[in-house]
Amino acid sequence: MSADPAIPFPSNKPRAVIIGSGFGGLAAAVRLGARGYDVTVLERLDRPGGRGRAYVQDGFTFDSGPTIITAPFLFEELWRLCGKTFSDDIDLRALDPYYRIVFDAGGHFDACADDAAMKQEIARISPEDVEGYTRFMQHSERLFRIGFEKFGHVPFDHLSQMIGIVPDLVRARADRSVYATVCDYVKHPHLRFALSYHPLFIGGNPFRASSIYCMISYFERHWGVHFAMGGTGALVKGLVGLIEGQGGVIRTKAEVAEITVENRRATGVRLASGETIAADIVVSNADTATTYAKLLAKAPRKCWTDRKLDRAAYSMSVFVWYFGTRRKYPRVQPHTILVGPRYGAHVADIFDRKVLAEDFSLYLYRPTAIDPSLAPEGCDTFYALSPVPHMDSGVDWSSKAEPYRQAIARRLSETLLPGLEDEVVTSRIFTPQNFQDVLQSRKGAAFGFEAALTQSAWFRPHNKSEDIERLYLVGAGTHPGAGVPTVLSSARVLDAVTPDPRSMLETC
Ligand SMILES: Cc1cc2nc3c(=O)[nH]c(=O)nc-3n(C[C@H](O)[C@H](O)[C@H](O)COP(=O)(O)OP(=O)(O)OC[C@H]3O[C@@H](n4cnc5c(N)ncnc54)[C@H](O)[C@@H]3O)c2cc1C
């Protein structure tokens, strides 16, 4: 599908308009630009990056969302498409350990990069589980070969493709949950947590998400966990540089109000300002449910009807507190998970009962452990993330946010960050209400549709819209799903489903 680079491209390139500048939108822009499209990215916020956008407040640099960077080859590929070298622009550091898990009952677990060190760590906690862990990792690798290598980069536009993968899914016992699968291999509750919690990172419920997601353990092992110096924002900046270097345009504060459609074919977009922009293809990186329900409210939709969108399951949300401290906490690693007293019951509060629990499981990010330039001299930059139910909880975040933040501060003060309340010099919060209002995510879900087998592959909104011609989807709400490597893969899938720009010129 890609254009032959040896033949110069005519100057009247077909135009691709991309709605949203999350990692999926930016990666799609690079790929479409490399294939010969004239690319315009429209972003409603004041800066690019979506969930990955960065901001500076009182001299502290905050990454707003993704922090754990895996599969660097997906970034390297984007740089190569532009004739550039990733490492010339981005200083990516491999972490070891990847992260620390601190348990409520005492004790911790370090996820180590090195296999032998990891087995030692397993043995330290439960010697009898080392053999089970080894077998689990073999199983995780098998799932990775199916879930990522075989299916993660191909479109699922036809039911026959879904039927084709059923034997693999049956063999992999994809009907079982991540947690149930992990329990087959290890006994110690801390290890059961450490090997099963990963779906939460992409908004899935470990007790419900298909065992296919057990592949994340091997995924980490295979590619490692990395940190981009300058923070995740450095990756966004790098991608923006690639797009601009290709001659593409990124317009911020440009909210799309409608995707214009004629005869079931996308013809461009209308901005909230009233401006219209014609396009040969439209790619939406905005929340997929919102794309269909709001940006295509007037368009005929047979597949993604309002009723179907209402019945879909949406991921959990998160409450994030960004803060800077006047002192350093040198013992705190870049990534720490502070597990609360309950696992299954807490997850059920979030996903099933949809109530805001009194207790927490927190993820604490301290980028200044690696890059001190992200805070003023002698200070630390942090964010603390608490998984919470999406907006169906009915929580009034306008009144609940501050007490909730204070409760998190108390918890951190009692555990990882002694005396925290007196050390905070800058602070900001982002609630499910903000996910809904600022990022336009349906129900304030932090990761779009919930990661579930019944909402995956062919069952997920397709990368090539089922309802509207010349409309394509990229990002967490489409195939293959949420998470940075995954949305970069969704941009890869676009190469296979969007038309070769040369063929479009011939038909113009
Ligand atoms: C707090 C948090 C932590 C995370 N941590 C990790 C992690 O460590 N590792 C990992 O791999 N993943 C992580 N994730 C998941 C990952 O960040 C996301 O799945 C991924 O970044 C989503 O990218 P996206 O391409 O779908 O676009 P998004 O980031 O969702 O961006 C969509 C963009 O579209 C814009 N937009 C929406 N509507 C319109 C409109 N009408 N007009 C114009 N623009 C519009 C929005 O403003 C936004 O900028 C995390 C997510 C969150 C929320």
Side-chain angles (χ1 to χ4, degrees):
M1 279 283 182
S2 54
D4 181 349
I7 308 167
F9 209 90
S11 53
N12 57 333
K13 298 172 173 183
R15 174 184 260 184
V17 162
I18 300 176
I19 307 166
S21 66
F23 274 111
L26 295 175
V30 171
R31 288 181 171 278
L32 292 169
R35 289 174 58 210
Y37 279 96
D38 173 4
V39 172
T40 302
V41 180
L42 301 168
E43 167 56 57
R44 70 183 291 278
L45 299 180
D46 64 355
R47 69 197 68 195
R51 281 154 169 81
R53 72 202 181 287
Y55 58 89
V56 178
Q57 181 172 299
D58 299 327
F60 294 80
T61 303
F62 293 101
D63 286 322
S64 56
T67 58
I68 292 183
I69 302 301
T70 49
F73 83 94
L74 288 165
F75 283 104
E76 288 161 5
E77 198 172 83
L78 296 172
W79 261 255
R80 263 198 311 279
L81 284 171
C82 301
K84 297 193 167 189
T85 306
F86 178 69
S87 58
D88 287 348
D89 290 343
I90 308 287
D91 180 1
L92 201 66
R93 307 270 173 100
L95 299 189
D96 189 10
Y98 297 155
Y99 45 81
R100 168 165 288 190
I101 300 175
V102 177
F103 296 98
D104 190 67
H108 71 269
F109 173 82
D110 282 337
C112 306
D114 176 64
D115 188 46
M118 187 72 158
K119 282 183 183 148
Q120 265 179 19
E121 188 66 357
I122 302 275
R124 185 178 64 78
I125 290 173
S126 170
E128 61 168 352
D129 279 327
V130 175
E131 190 266 335
Y133 167 74
T134 308
R135 284 189 297 110
F136 172 75
M137 288 307 288
Q138 287 161 355
H139 184 55
S140 174
E141 180 177 355
R142 277 195 297 277
L143 297 174
F144 167 86
R145 304 270 172 235
I146 301 170
F148 188 76
E149 289 192 342
K150 217 164 158 184
F151 305 124
H153 300 279
V154 294
F156 271 87
D157 288 354
H158 303 288
L159 184 57
S160 57
Q161 289 163 313
M162 191 70 212
I163 294 168
I165 69 168
V166 168
D168 280 310
L169 296 178
V170 170
R171 266 193 301 276
R173 291 299 319 267
D175 57 311
R176 304 195 71 222
S177 76
V178 168
Y179 185 76
T181 305
V182 166
C183 289
D184 289 345
Y185 292 92
V186 293
K187 291 199 172 57
H188 196 286
H190 289 180
L191 297 180
R192 286 182 167 178
F193 177 89
L195 298 179
S196 72
Y197 80 94
H198 294 94
L200 287 166
F201 263 159
I202 49 167
N205 175 344
F207 296 86
R208 202 154 63 201
S210 160
S211 66
I212 288 284
Y213 291 97
C214 290
M215 73 175 168
I216 301 175
S217 294
Y218 182 77
F219 199 91
E220 277 179 1
R221 170 54 34 84
H222 191 61
W223 278 302
V225 167
H226 304 266
F227 178 84
M229 294 305 277
T232 309
L235 291 165
V236 172
K237 206 168 149 198
L239 289 171
V240 167
L242 293 184
I243 296 162
E244 290 175 346
Q246 290 174 319
V249 173
I250 301 178
R251 286 177 57 183
T252 53
K253 298 185 187 168
E255 175 170 358
V256 172
E258 183 185 4
I259 297 171
T260 53
V261 175
E262 274 172 35
N263 299 326
R264 290 186 175 271
R265 173 183 278 209
T267 57
V269 295
R270 185 175 56 76
L271 301 190
S273 63
E275 179 187 347
T276 54
I277 302 174
D280 296 287
I281 65 168
V282 175
V283 177
S284 181
N285 176 229
D287 178 72
T288 303
T290 308
T291 298
Y292 278 115
K294 200 172 144 195
L295 304 186
L296 288 164
K298 289 190 252 160
R301 283 175 281 138
K302 280 190 183 151
C303 187
W304 292 101
T305 58
D306 288 351
R307 186 176 143 85
K308 187 163 172 181
L309 293 168
D310 285 345
R311 291 165 66 164
Y314 293 84
S315 80
M316 64 175 191
S317 192
V318 293
F319 177 97
V320 195
W321 176 34
Y322 308 90
F323 58 98
T325 55
R326 74 176 97 235
R327 58 160 284 202
K328 281 195 171 290
Y329 287 90
R331 291 164 63 137
V332 178
Q333 303 200 358
H335 305 294
T336 309
I337 294 157
L338 186 62
V339 185
R342 304 173 304 140
Y343 182 21
H346 190 194
V347 167
D349 279 350
I350 296 168
F351 284 89
D352 303 331
R353 290 192 283 275
K354 297 195 174 53
V355 295
L356 190 61
E358 297 280 313
D359 54 339
F360 307 101
S361 278
L362 299 172
Y363 159 62
L364 184 68
Y365 176 49
R366 177 178 171 247
T368 33
I370 313 167
D371 187 347
S373 76
L374 298 173
E377 183 77 30
C379 300
D380 259 340
T381 294
F382 289 96
Y383 88 45
L385 177 158
S386 175
V388 294
H390 63 51
M391 291 296 286
D392 277 2
S393 68
V395 172
D396 173 8
W397 285 103
S398 63
S399 60
K400 189 69 199 169
E402 180 51 18
Y404 198 70
R405 184 201 69 73
Q406 287 173 12
I408 291 176
R410 270 195 305 279
R411 181 82 189 119
L412 288 172
S413 202
E414 289 158 7
T415 52
L416 301 170
L417 308 176
L420 175 65
E421 284 112 320
D422 297 329
E423 304 292 349
V424 174
V425 287
T426 191
S427 170
R428 185 171 175 148
I429 51 178
F430 205 78
T431 70
Q433 185 75 53
N434 298 135
F435 276 96
Q436 184 169 280
D437 299 344
V438 178
L439 288 164
Q440 304 278 293
S441 299
R442 192 178 176 107
K443 294 186 191 267
F447 307 86
F449 295 111
E450 187 180 328
L453 200 56
T454 48
Q455 300 196 138
S456 298
W458 186 77
F459 298 113
R460 213 169 174 81
H462 298 176
N463 305 87
K464 178 180 178 182
S465 169
E466 300 93 314
D467 287 309
I468 307 292
E469 271 181 60
R470 298 275 168 102
L471 172 66
Y472 303 89
L473 303 175
V474 71
T478 183
H479 172 69
V484 174
T486 328
V487 303
L488 296 181
S489 297
S490 77
R492 240 181 173 202
V493 173
L494 284 192
D495 280 356
V497 296
T498 47
D500 180 341
R502 277 170 208 288
S503 69
M504 300 186 81
L505 284 177
E506 283 153 17
T507 56
C508 284

